[in-house]
Amino acid sequence: MSGDVVIEPTKEEEEAVSVQLQGKKLSWQKLGRNDSLDMESRTVSGHYGRDSKAVKWSVILQLAFQSIGVVYGDIGTSPLYVYASTFTNGINHIDDILGVLSLIFYTLTLIPLVKYVLIVLRANDNGDGGTFALYSLICRYAKVGLIPSEQAEDCDVSNFQLELPSKRLKRASRLKYKLENSQFAKYFLLVATMLGTSMVIGDGVLTPCISVLSAVGGIKEASAGMTQDKVVWVSVAIIVLLFMVQRFGTDKVGYSFAPIICVWFSLIGGIGIYNFIKYDPSVIKAINPKYIVDYFTRNKKDAWISLGGVVLAITDVGHFTVQSIQLSMCTVTYPALILAYMGQASFLRKHSELVSETFYKSIPHSLYWPMFIVAVMAAIIASQAMISGTFSIVQQSISLGCFPRVKVVHTSAKYEGQVYIPEINYLLMIACVCVTVGFRTTEKIGNAYGIAVVFVMTLTSTLLVLIMIMIWKSNIFLVIAYVLVIMSVELGYLSSVLYKFDQGGYLPLAFAAVLMTIMYIWNNVYRRKYYFELEHKISPERVKEIAAETKFCRIPGLAMFYSELVQGIPPIFKHYVENVPALHSVLVFVSIKSLPIGKVPAEERFLFRRVEPRELNVFRCVARYGYTDARNEEEPFERMLIEKLEEFIKEDLWLCQTTISNMEIAEGDQVDELVDGETDQLDENSKLAQQENQKKAELEKQIETLDRAWRAGVVHLIGESEVVAGKGANIGKRILIDYGYNFLKRNLTQSGKVFDIPHKRMLKVGMTYEL
């Protein structure tokens, strides 16, 4: 059955009960649940399919408009600095401009347009995109997770389903088998996802620096007294202000930003047409890739190094819906960028000495101030989009157990996905200020930014190839073509940006190293803790023994005991009862579980099981969340859990009543047809009926007990496990656990704040785990 609690039975259930109760010999069998909460993990043959309802064009147009402001601010501001970053040593040959323009044209066409808009967006996870979405798709299809928390019921969550082609290929099955049976492959996928996450966070630091610095630098055109030092400090002021207002959220981010970015694209596209006509329309011939060959022939190594500047013309794009992104990219973003770069190339053909200030020098004098204002606003919007994206990806990392549990604040009740993380916000702000003040120019920041962008693109392609083979089951020739064309281009850019490692390229790698260290430490110990609890979980027999001990008393109220263990009762419960010889009248063990999907519908959030014997009034509950879900006041966790628990008990009550009713009917039929020798069978059936009536009375009493306990008050018991390295552990393990993990844990928000649990009704239960 599904994770949500269904009160009304299905027709099949009614027929099953009736069939079991018919005939002369009543062979009654209880309807039971498929109890996967005690199973480590299992292979489930789920039904894959997705409701593909057509989206109205009015909605698509609305989302396309919003996506222009949210998604394309980053790539839209790239004309501010691409030519300056590419020709760092000036233009040696006039046709080099055509070579670089041709590179930009085909790069924009292959990467953002063909790869992301036409291919990668197909690999969306119920509307969510990025490295985590691709990793989640793989985790749902192949059992490659390192934590054994899979359950059969997970496949019943509506968003968990995958849309798979009907045609099965041996190639996909072999790849799936190898991934599931290779510990190296599992670690590689997790580490690749961590690395991609780290690079995106690094991108969130670099985008505000390069965008704002480039836009503000244009003021030097209007004021001769404006030095680079002043530009840097004005940029720092804007960046600090940008981060300070993050706490207020971006409720209407799409509608607020979209008009400004639309104006920006209109201006750069219009100015591009103006410059194209005025200076040199012949740059249209750059569509011929021959100029790329000529560019590399003339410049050789320097041409290869310059790819690090060209790559700044692209960036990783997210999405709202597939159609809306495709529409906005194809009709607005892509044409505007192509026109902007063509216009700048035409200008440079006549003024090649101004390449370091291409953007502002190519603007008609009368449009300077409007363009300057819109450029600064577009840079702020691009920065805002990346900061919000950083918050979202940290939230996803937390859900996978790859990042410390910092507090995630949902800033909007109306718009999904708008989150704010105070600790991350201030760390990003400090990093942005340090980078801006330390690097001072867009050239070095551009080198760092290029590495972050290309690393994410390459990792995305790697995961996408797995999805193409294993999930989409694409034709092998299409996969080979993708690798030869797209990935070869990306690897070429990667080799170029890595060449500039000592010119600022080390920065995102340094960010990634720090973040990867944090994520590795946290995830490693997180997994060790989970396996420790799994090995030392409390058995049902031990729970019965605890309940039978006379020293225990039951006190009024309902207690929720939180842990992360999905299978069984955590060992910290034993520690609790040894020190507090009392149990509340109703006790619920709540496991917070993250599924490899974006969102879990609220009605499918909870999965319940009863801890026998029934009179204990002890239950287990798995609260399932997607990696973009967050608990907040709009979804009152406590009330929803208790209401769903009551429905769970009522479902048992309904099944019991249905069984009793059908048994009475069957018993009446047997009495009418009674023959000698069948009285023993009738007595046995009467006993079964008596047991069912007793069960019914117990369930009715249990519902009353739950209501009284809720009214008496709810207490939240938080398991606070301290971890230390076990005896005989080597020095590496001691550093990892005793120093690394515990340092991170001590400097984080407490779990009560993370779960939004009222402090007046929270009790922490501590225990030491020797790992």
Side-chain angles (χ1 to χ4, degrees):
M1 69 182 298
S2 64
D4 57 319
V5 181
V6 182
I7 301 301
E8 295 298 326
T10 63
K11 184 177 180 180
E12 289 76 10
E13 287 176 327
E14 292 179 341
E15 291 175 351
V17 176
S18 298
V19 168
Q20 290 168 0
L21 296 171
Q22 298 300 322
K24 290 184 179 181
K25 293 185 177 181
L26 183 63
S27 57
W28 175 77
Q29 181 180 358
K30 290 195 294 182
L31 292 178
R33 290 184 177 84
N34 179 19
D35 193 357
S36 67
L37 269 72
D38 284 320
M39 301 179 187
E40 309 297 317
S41 67
R42 56 187 291 173
T43 303
V44 182
S45 57
H47 169 70
Y48 296 102
R50 189 171 59 185
D51 184 14
S52 56
K53 294 181 179 179
V55 182
K56 292 183 178 179
W57 272 105
S58 60
V59 177
I60 293 175
L61 291 172
Q62 178 181 337
L63 291 174
F65 177 72
Q66 286 182 274
S67 69
I68 292 173
V70 177
V71 176
Y72 296 121
D74 191 8
I75 193 173
T77 55
S78 58
L80 285 166
Y81 44 77
V82 166
Y83 280 112
S85 299
T86 303
F87 294 110
T88 53
N89 297 319
I91 300 173
N92 298 323
H93 192 282
I94 196 66
D95 282 347
D96 287 351
I97 299 169
L98 295 178
V100 169
L101 176 60
S102 189
L103 276 170
I104 293 172
F105 172 75
Y106 284 104
T107 302
L108 280 173
T109 303
L110 282 175
I111 308 300
L113 187 63
V114 175
K115 175 189 172 182
Y116 281 103
V117 174
L118 300 182
I119 301 177
V120 175
L121 287 187
R122 287 186 57 212
N124 71 89
D125 183 13
N126 296 297
D128 293 298
T131 309
F132 271 96
L134 300 179
Y135 179 70
S136 297
L137 287 175
I138 295 171
C139 285
R140 298 220 299 274
Y141 183 74
K143 196 163 58 177
V144 296
L146 293 171
I147 302 248
S149 60
E150 298 93 345
Q151 295 172 278
E153 291 84 355
D154 292 343
C155 290
D156 294 329
V157 177
S158 55
N159 291 347
F160 200 91
Q161 298 168 353
L162 288 173
E163 184 176 0
L164 298 178
S166 58
K167 185 178 180 181
R168 303 283 175 176
L169 298 177
K170 292 182 180 179
R171 182 175 62 251
S173 300
R174 285 198 299 268
L175 179 58
K176 178 182 176 183
Y177 176 81
K178 289 180 180 179
L179 288 177
E180 290 181 340
N181 291 276
S182 170
Q183 200 70 6
F184 171 80
K186 294 178 181 180
Y187 275 104
F188 173 80
L189 288 173
L190 181 62
V191 170
T193 304
M194 287 182 180
L195 180 58
T197 301
S198 303
M199 287 296 179
V200 172
I201 295 173
D203 199 356
V205 173
L206 297 171
T207 296
C209 301
I210 192 170
S211 298
V212 175
L213 199 58
S214 299
V216 174
I219 195 69
K220 291 190 291 185
E221 295 298 313
S223 175
M226 194 70 174
T227 63
Q228 185 62 28
D229 287 342
K230 293 179 180 178
V231 169
V232 168
W233 289 111
V234 170
S235 301
V236 166
I238 292 174
I239 289 171
V240 170
L241 181 63
L242 178 62
F243 280 100
M244 293 303 290
V245 300
Q246 290 298 314
R247 67 167 66 93
F248 301 111
T250 52
D251 261 10
K252 298 181 180 179
V253 61
Y255 284 116
S256 302
F257 292 168
I260 298 171
I261 298 297
C262 279
V263 171
W264 167 257
F265 280 133
S266 299
L267 286 172
I268 63 173
I271 292 173
I273 294 173
Y274 171 81
N275 288 334
F276 173 75
I277 296 172
K278 179 180 178 180
Y279 293 106
D280 189 1
S282 67
V283 295
I284 190 69
K285 59 187 177 183
I287 198 171
N288 186 346
K290 167 185 175 294
Y291 289 96
I292 298 177
V293 177
D294 293 342
Y295 177 63
F296 276 91
T297 302
R298 279 192 304 273
N299 297 280
K300 297 180 175 62
K301 181 180 178 181
D302 290 337
W304 169 67
I305 294 172
S306 71
L307 289 176
V310 176
V311 78
L312 300 181
I314 58 176
T315 184
D316 196 353
V317 296
H319 62 274
F320 283 35
T321 65
V322 174
Q323 297 97 329
S324 64
I325 286 290
Q326 290 173 339
L327 184 63
S328 59
M329 181 67 176
C330 295
T331 61
V332 178
T333 307
Y334 179 77
L337 289 173
I338 294 297
L339 290 173
Y341 287 119
M342 285 180 63
Q344 290 183 15
S346 296
F347 173 81
L348 288 175
R349 294 273 285 182
K350 303 297 182 182
H351 304 90
S352 59
E353 73 282 358
L354 301 177
V355 66
S356 61
E357 300 170 321
T358 304
F359 182 80
Y360 283 106
K361 289 291 187 181
S362 65
I363 298 173
H365 184 72
S366 59
L367 291 178
Y368 170 79
W369 282 111
M371 200 64 190
F372 174 76
I373 294 170
V374 175
V376 172
M377 295 176 71
I380 292 172
I381 291 170
S383 305
Q384 173 62 52
M386 283 307 304
I387 294 168
S388 298
T390 302
F391 292 155
S392 296
I393 205 165
V394 169
Q395 178 194 7
Q396 295 170 14
S397 303
I398 293 171
S399 70
L400 285 181
C402 296
F403 203 86
R405 287 190 176 276
V406 291
K407 185 176 182 179
V408 179
V409 179
H410 267 227
T411 58
S412 172
K414 184 178 179 181
Y415 296 89
E416 295 182 352
Q418 297 298 316
V419 296
Y420 167 68
I421 305 177
E423 294 90 340
I424 301 300
N425 185 63
Y426 289 115
L427 289 175
L428 285 177
M429 182 180 71
I430 294 170
C432 282
V433 170
C434 291
V435 170
T436 305
V437 173
F439 280 37
R440 303 177 64 78
T441 64
T442 58
E443 180 184 342
K444 287 187 177 180
I445 299 177
N447 294 338
Y449 181 71
I451 286 185
V453 169
V454 179
F455 253 105
V456 174
M457 290 193 307
T458 308
L459 289 171
T460 298
S461 287
T462 303
L463 296 178
L464 186 62
V465 168
L466 292 177
I467 290 173
M468 292 173 73
I469 297 173
M470 188 171 61
I471 300 178
W472 293 349
K473 300 176 178 62
S474 302
N475 187 295
I476 189 62
F477 294 106
L478 293 177
V479 177
I480 293 172
Y482 178 86
V483 172
L484 292 178
V485 178
I486 304 293
M487 290 195 69
S488 61
V489 171
E490 292 176 342
L491 290 174
Y493 278 122
L494 182 62
S495 65
S496 175
V497 294
L498 287 175
Y499 181 81
K500 298 181 180 180
F501 177 84
D502 61 339
Q503 301 172 40
Y506 59 84
L507 191 61
L509 296 178
F511 283 150
V514 173
L515 290 168
M516 286 282 287
T517 301
I518 293 172
M519 296 171 81
Y520 171 77
I521 292 173
W522 191 266
N523 182 259
N524 185 282
V525 180
Y526 174 83
R527 285 186 280 109
R528 290 176 187 270
K529 282 176 57 183
Y530 193 94
Y531 278 102
F532 180 90
E533 291 187 342
L534 194 60
E535 293 170 1
H536 298 83
K537 65 182 180 182
I538 308 299
S539 65
E541 291 74 19
R542 178 54 184 154
V543 175
K544 293 178 184 178
E545 293 175 5
I546 291 173
E549 294 180 12
T550 56
K551 67 176 183 178
F552 283 98
C553 63
R554 303 303 290 266
I555 57 177
L558 186 150
M560 294 185 187
F561 204 110
Y562 293 83
S563 75
E564 293 178 335
L565 182 67
V566 173
Q567 305 92 354
I569 297 172
I572 205 166
F573 175 66
K574 179 182 177 182
H575 183 70
Y576 169 75
V577 296
E578 286 175 351
N579 291 276
V580 183
L583 294 174
H584 290 77
S585 55
V586 178
L587 182 62
V588 182
F589 291 95
V590 183
S591 298
I592 307 296
K593 176 182 177 179
S594 292
L595 295 182
I597 57 178
K599 288 189 173 296
V600 175
E603 62 273 12
E604 300 177 1
R605 176 85 63 219
F606 300 104
L607 182 66
F608 289 100
R609 291 293 180 268
R610 179 180 282 105
V611 177
E612 299 293 344
R614 186 177 289 104
E615 58 270 14
L616 280 179
N617 294 321
V618 178
F619 302 89
R620 287 159 56 201
C621 168
V622 177
R624 304 178 292 188
Y625 288 85
Y627 53 75
T628 62
D629 280 325
R631 287 163 54 183
N632 52 69
E633 294 179 359
E634 298 302 319
E635 186 186 303
F637 179 83
E638 180 183 296
R639 179 179 60 79
M640 285 185 63
L641 187 149
I642 295 173
E643 288 177 353
K644 291 296 183 181
L645 175 58
E646 189 171 353
E647 290 178 9
F648 171 80
I649 299 172
K650 286 180 179 178
E651 180 195 11
D652 266 2
L653 179 60
W654 184 92
L655 290 173
C656 184
Q657 289 172 335
T658 303
T659 303
I660 292 171
S661 176
N662 286 317
M663 289 181 73
E664 289 174 348
I665 294 172
E667 187 175 354
D669 293 341
Q670 282 186 311
V671 171
D672 294 338
E673 300 176 11
L674 190 63
V675 294
D676 293 339
E678 293 189 348
T679 54
D680 291 342
Q681 180 65 40
L682 188 61
D683 290 341
E684 182 181 345
N685 295 340
S686 298
K687 290 179 181 178
L688 288 173
Q690 185 177 1
Q691 291 175 2
E692 286 300 305
N693 279 304
Q694 183 179 355
K695 177 182 174 182
K696 175 186 174 183
E698 290 175 355
L699 290 170
E700 290 173 342
K701 181 180 179 182
Q702 200 168 58
I703 292 174
E704 294 177 4
T705 302
L706 178 61
D707 290 335
R708 286 198 302 270
W710 191 2
R711 289 193 297 270
V714 179
V715 177
H716 300 266
L717 299 164
I718 307 295
E720 284 288 317
S721 54
E722 294 293 330
V723 296
V724 296
K727 295 180 180 178
N730 57 45
I731 185 67
K733 191 174 181 181
R734 290 185 180 278
I735 293 174
L736 177 75
I737 298 174
D738 294 345
Y739 298 99
Y741 179 83
N742 286 318
F743 172 80
L744 293 174
K745 188 175 180 181
R746 281 193 303 269
N747 290 278
L748 292 177
T749 305
Q750 296 178 352
S751 57
K753 292 181 181 179
V754 173
F755 292 136
D756 287 332
I757 295 172
H759 286 276
K760 293 182 180 179
R761 295 188 281 120
M762 181 176 66
L763 177 64
K764 291 187 177 182
V765 182
M767 181 179 177
T768 300
Y769 290 177
E770 289 191 8
L771 305 180

